[in-house]
Amino acid sequence: MIASIRSGRYRYPKNIFATRSFSKSSIELKPTTPSNIPGNSSKSVLIQDQVGNEIKPRKYWKHFLKSKRDEAGVASRVSVFFHEVQEALDIFNSTNQLDLAVKDLEIPSDLAELYSQPGLMNSIAHEVEVIYLTSNGDGLCFVPRRSYLNDQAQAGHTVVRVPKAIPGDIIDVKIGRHMAIHSEGELVKVLNSRSRLTRRNDRLIVCSNFDQCSGCQLQMMNNDDQLRFKQSVIQRAFKFYYPSLYEEFKAKRADGFGSVMDSPMQYSYRTKITPHFKPRRDVKPLDTKIGFNDIHDPVGIVDIDHCPIATPLINQEFPKLKSKVLEELDRVQINKMLTKQRIKAKISPTLFLRDSIRLDHKTGDFDQVCITDTGKVVTEKVGDFVFQFEASEFFQNNSYILPQVIDYIKYHIHESNLNFKYIVDTYCGSGFFGISLSKEVPEKDGKIFGIEISKKSIKYAEHNASLNGLKLPEKAEFIAGNSEDLFSNQVFADSQVTGDKSILIMDPSRKGSNESFLKQLLKFKPMMVVYISCNPFTQARDLQMLNLLQQDGSVQYEIQDVVGFDFFPQTKHVESVAILKRII
Ligand SMILES: C[S@@+](CC[C@H](N)C(=O)[O-])C[C@H]1O[C@@H](n2cnc3c(N)ncnc32)[C@H](O)[C@@H]1O
């Protein structure tokens, strides 16, 4: 079977681990570059399957590398995955008394070529146990190669990544594309779903599209198990990227490290969804699928009418919007249009639905409305504060849990008994954290100062400060710009906000912060730092970097607590909040 591949023309790196070294105690990864990823060779290649069809080089890696997390350097998505495979392998070795290294999992080039496209191979491996759940929400299992290849000469195991499979599941799995050290798998059947061996309970699944839709990963797990999984993600982030803190916290706090606080709503909480479509020439416009990405098909869409994690109002409006969009696609005959024509006609492939409130300014009464135009203004009430922002701009998407996060930060502020005046809100968006904490600063001379890269968001941050009774610029001031330029900014200098009287909030996007920002933070010397992150891996990386940068001892922060908040139940995502206090 493997011999049918034309060999010798496909460039496959001899040893993809040449830049990496793994050992159980210390794992060092250099960022993976596109040039050492198989299939990213710029040379053209000709690979054929058994019946002579050309197989294109594996595009999937490119997609993998382009994801947002991959701006994350050492904590990139590829790097996280390698660490997770190492952890899974440790479990596999210890249960099977083996001594395999990750290097042994490397996929031979001929096998990688053979399995280079989705749908080409349909080998099924039977009765395989899932032993690990990745932070991406996918099960990992180790499949002996002989069990899915006719070629008995093939030795070793393939790590298979199986979406919608969880530890304890015994599964039949279809083996798909082979990557550098793993293969993509498709769950065919769970054989032990009613047993006590697995944490799975399929009766908990409420969505009819769960098996196919890429939106949720964890509906088959009960809420406690989801929280435990998310805590393990925070812990592994620190274990991989800030191991000394991980060891210290584990020794000091046992189970408390990274424990995850529950969302008040496990379903119907998401205040924004963005279903999308991909018009196809061979599909009648009225049959266009509108929904979310299909886990079985990298370019496919799962057609949905309802999303159970979205709010009831969004679900009420979605079918109406969908019908309207389909009628429009039919009217313009989208299937006959070229991409250029679609862009010119301003046909957006993404639908937008966001909950908002409509305020009656005279009475203070409000009702709930669903906004479907990204140019419109959304109004949201969180705790005692009202926020407005343009729908296309960032705002948190689970407003039920936000008061809990604010309470948690307030608790630490009070607990530390700090004599502070200012809250410096970096990566501030439309001012959510600074404004929500504004009652904590002294009434007489306290102030909120925020910085954010989006000019539109800053416009709304200023508007929101006024909306919530904070006088500009005396009580609140916001500037548009890169957070790392804050400390050299003249407006900031003129505001006379000093570090020794400040609490600094940082809430960067998934790629995290950077060395330049952290160096300046150490010079600014705020009394306390609250680091909020939707990516615990880049958060751990940044906190380790901060620790390295403060080695000269002139200023010293101690991490007091790291906790998670379940902003997105049923999904793989977790928000991690770290509290740092200056001790020198
Ligand atoms: C996770 S959001 C948090 C926003 C806000 N704290 C909130 O809770 O609504 C991250 C924000 O950082 C902004 N951002 C990204 N890179 C930035 C940079 N280099 N400097 C300042 N802001 C940045 C984004 O525009 C986005 O609004």
Side-chain angles (χ1 to χ4, degrees):
M1 185 165 160
I2 289 172
S4 65
I5 298 222
R6 255 193 221 182
S7 56
R9 301 191 61 184
Y10 180 75
R11 272 164 53 94
Y12 190 88
K14 279 212 175 76
N15 180 2
I16 59 155
F17 299 98
T19 57
R20 308 181 181 96
S21 69
F22 288 90
S23 78
K24 278 182 190 168
S25 52
S26 80
I27 298 172
E28 244 183 61
L29 292 173
K30 287 192 181 156
T32 316
T33 59
S35 61
N36 64 6
I37 294 292
N40 270 4
S41 156
S42 56
K43 280 209 169 175
S44 72
V45 291
L46 176 65
I47 310 158
Q48 292 175 323
D49 65 9
Q50 299 98 306
V51 286
N53 296 322
E54 186 184 349
I55 299 172
K56 293 259 177 351
R58 285 165 293 145
K59 288 181 186 149
Y60 179 74
W61 272 109
K62 290 183 189 166
H63 162 75
F64 207 59
L65 285 167
K66 268 188 204 155
S67 84
K68 285 187 187 161
R69 251 204 233 170
D70 290 299
E71 295 167 34
V74 293
S76 70
R77 188 171 158 172
V78 173
S79 154
V80 170
F81 183 68
F82 275 91
H83 279 295
E84 291 185 323
V85 168
Q86 171 73 67
E87 281 208 322
L89 188 59
D90 288 346
I91 298 170
F92 185 66
N93 276 338
S94 72
T95 41
N96 294 287
Q97 284 147 26
L98 292 169
D99 195 20
L100 298 172
V102 178
K103 195 177 175 309
D104 301 324
L105 302 172
E106 185 179 347
I107 308 273
S109 58
D110 51 0
L111 194 54
E113 286 163 12
L114 186 66
Y115 281 82
S116 65
Q117 266 199 341
L120 266 180
M121 302 299 302
N122 286 323
S123 315
I124 293 185
H126 296 279
E127 294 186 39
V128 188
E129 184 179 356
V130 178
I131 59 169
Y132 191 85
L133 190 55
T134 69
S135 52
N136 209 34
D138 304 318
L140 288 187
C141 53
F142 289 80
V143 180
R145 288 198 181 125
R146 279 188 190 127
S147 72
Y148 68 93
L149 292 169
N150 291 333
D151 188 342
Q152 286 303 307
Q154 282 288 335
H157 290 82
T158 302
V159 189
V160 186
R161 186 177 78 99
V162 196
K164 315 280 163 135
I166 60 170
D169 283 351
I170 308 285
I171 60 170
D172 285 350
V173 57
K174 197 192 274 184
I175 309 291
R177 283 175 300 171
H178 280 46
M179 307 300 182
I181 56 155
H182 82 287
S183 140
E184 300 290 10
E186 187 177 315
L187 183 61
V188 176
K189 195 172 179 192
V190 181
L191 304 164
N192 65 341
S193 58
R194 295 197 192 120
S195 83
R196 293 175 69 84
L197 295 173
T198 170
R199 305 302 299 172
R200 169 183 294 272
N201 179 354
D202 285 337
R203 290 184 196 280
L204 294 173
I205 298 170
V206 305
C207 180
S208 53
N209 298 307
F210 177 70
D211 289 349
Q212 230 187 325
C213 177
S214 61
C216 293
Q217 295 73 34
L218 309 175
Q219 287 189 21
M220 78 299 256
M221 285 166 84
N222 70 40
N223 195 48
D224 285 350
D225 283 345
Q226 290 191 28
L227 298 179
R228 265 192 288 275
F229 160 66
K230 292 181 186 195
Q231 177 177 14
S232 80
V233 170
I234 293 178
Q235 291 193 354
R236 74 179 77 148
F238 283 85
K239 187 173 170 193
F240 298 163
Y241 298 111
Y242 193 172
S244 59
L245 187 87
Y246 170 75
E247 293 301 336
E248 186 191 319
F249 267 49
K250 221 176 78 174
K252 265 201 307 211
R253 327 220 155 158
D255 282 352
F257 176 31
S259 61
V260 179
M261 299 197 201
D262 212 354
S263 166
M265 304 274 280
Q266 270 85 53
Y267 282 98
S268 308
Y269 62 82
R270 218 188 139 98
T271 46
K272 180 179 102 176
I273 61 167
T274 50
H276 42 272
F277 60 88
K278 288 178 187 161
R280 283 175 47 169
R281 279 172 188 279
D282 57 340
V283 173
K284 286 191 209 137
L286 288 174
D287 294 335
T288 305
K289 290 180 179 174
I290 300 185
F292 299 117
N293 294 346
D294 184 339
I295 56 165
H296 302 313
D297 175 1
V299 291
I301 299 284
V302 185
D303 195 49
I304 64 157
D305 295 310
H306 179 91
C307 173
I309 62 171
T311 62
L313 187 61
I314 286 179
N315 279 311
Q316 199 181 305
E317 289 304 309
F318 179 43
K320 294 184 218 161
L321 179 66
K322 192 173 162 185
S323 305
K324 238 165 70 183
V325 170
L326 288 175
E327 275 165 28
E328 182 61 12
L329 297 185
D330 193 39
R331 190 186 65 76
V332 300
Q333 286 293 294
I334 189 103
N335 52 338
K336 295 184 185 145
M337 286 173 112
L338 299 171
T339 312
K340 269 192 213 157
Q341 292 170 313
R342 275 184 233 138
I343 295 170
K344 207 168 163 200
K346 296 198 173 139
I347 299 173
S348 163
T350 305
L351 282 61
F352 179 90
L353 296 110
R354 200 183 210 294
D355 258 22
S356 174
I357 56 173
R358 190 169 43 194
L359 267 176
D360 181 330
H361 291 280
K362 280 189 195 138
T363 62
D365 290 344
F366 59 86
D367 59 353
Q368 212 74 36
V369 288
C370 181
I371 284 182
T372 55
D373 176 349
T374 50
K376 286 253 165 77
V377 176
V378 176
T379 305
E380 190 125 346
K381 189 170 182 301
V382 184
D384 296 335
F385 297 91
V386 177
F387 295 91
Q388 292 194 313
F389 50 94
E390 198 171 298
S392 58
E393 294 293 293
F394 179 90
F395 197 81
Q396 307 287 353
N397 290 327
N398 175 353
S399 37
Y400 299 96
I401 199 169
L402 293 176
Q404 255 166 270
V405 184
I406 297 296
D407 283 350
Y408 171 79
I409 299 172
K410 279 185 192 169
Y411 167 82
H412 278 278
I413 292 177
H414 295 160
E415 181 84 343
S416 305
N417 204 15
L418 302 172
N419 180 19
F420 75 104
K421 283 190 191 173
Y422 313 115
I423 288 181
V424 179
D425 188 3
T426 60
Y427 309 88
C428 71
S430 51
F432 170 68
F433 281 105
I435 293 170
S436 298
L437 293 165
S438 57
K439 290 193 178 141
E440 307 307 299
V441 300
E443 213 169 304
K444 191 169 147 265
D445 51 1
K447 179 170 182 168
I448 310 298
F449 198 103
I451 184 162
E452 154 67 42
I453 204 124
S454 156
K455 286 187 183 144
K456 262 189 203 162
S457 288
I458 280 298
K459 206 178 92 196
Y460 281 96
E462 288 173 340
H463 168 74
N464 288 329
S466 305
L467 200 62
N468 290 286
L470 296 169
K471 201 164 170 224
L472 298 164
E474 289 84 353
K475 302 303 290 177
E477 200 166 2
F478 292 93
I479 51 172
N482 192 327
S483 283
E484 68 190 80
D485 297 335
L486 170 69
F487 307 96
S488 56
N489 183 283
Q490 198 50 48
V491 181
F492 186 57
D494 294 346
S495 74
Q496 295 183 345
V497 169
T498 53
D500 60 350
K501 292 278 179 215
S502 293
I503 291 173
L504 185 134
I505 310 277
M506 54 188 287
D507 181 19
S509 41
R510 291 196 74 78
K511 67 176 180 178
S513 188
N514 60 28
E515 188 172 340
S516 165
F517 178 85
L518 297 171
K519 272 184 178 159
Q520 295 178 69
L521 180 155
L522 287 175
K523 283 194 186 138
F524 183 60
K525 297 186 186 172
M527 305 167 97
M528 187 189 241
V529 177
V530 180
Y531 187 162
I532 301 139
S533 169
C534 57
N535 182 352
F537 296 96
T538 51
Q539 183 191 45
R541 175 207 64 191
D542 289 347
L543 291 175
Q544 170 152 55
M545 195 188 293
L546 186 78
N547 188 40
L548 292 173
L549 292 170
Q550 64 181 9
Q551 291 299 319
D552 72 357
S554 60
V555 53
Q556 191 91 40
Y557 285 90
E558 186 181 79
I559 299 183
Q560 305 219 304
D561 204 11
V562 179
V563 297
F565 287 89
D566 194 9
F567 275 33
F568 299 105
Q570 320 308 332
T571 78
K572 61 192 174 183
H573 299 289
V574 62
E575 199 83 3
S576 174
V577 181
I579 304 284
L580 287 80
K581 202 175 158 200
R582 183 156 72 82
I583 51 170
I584 296 178

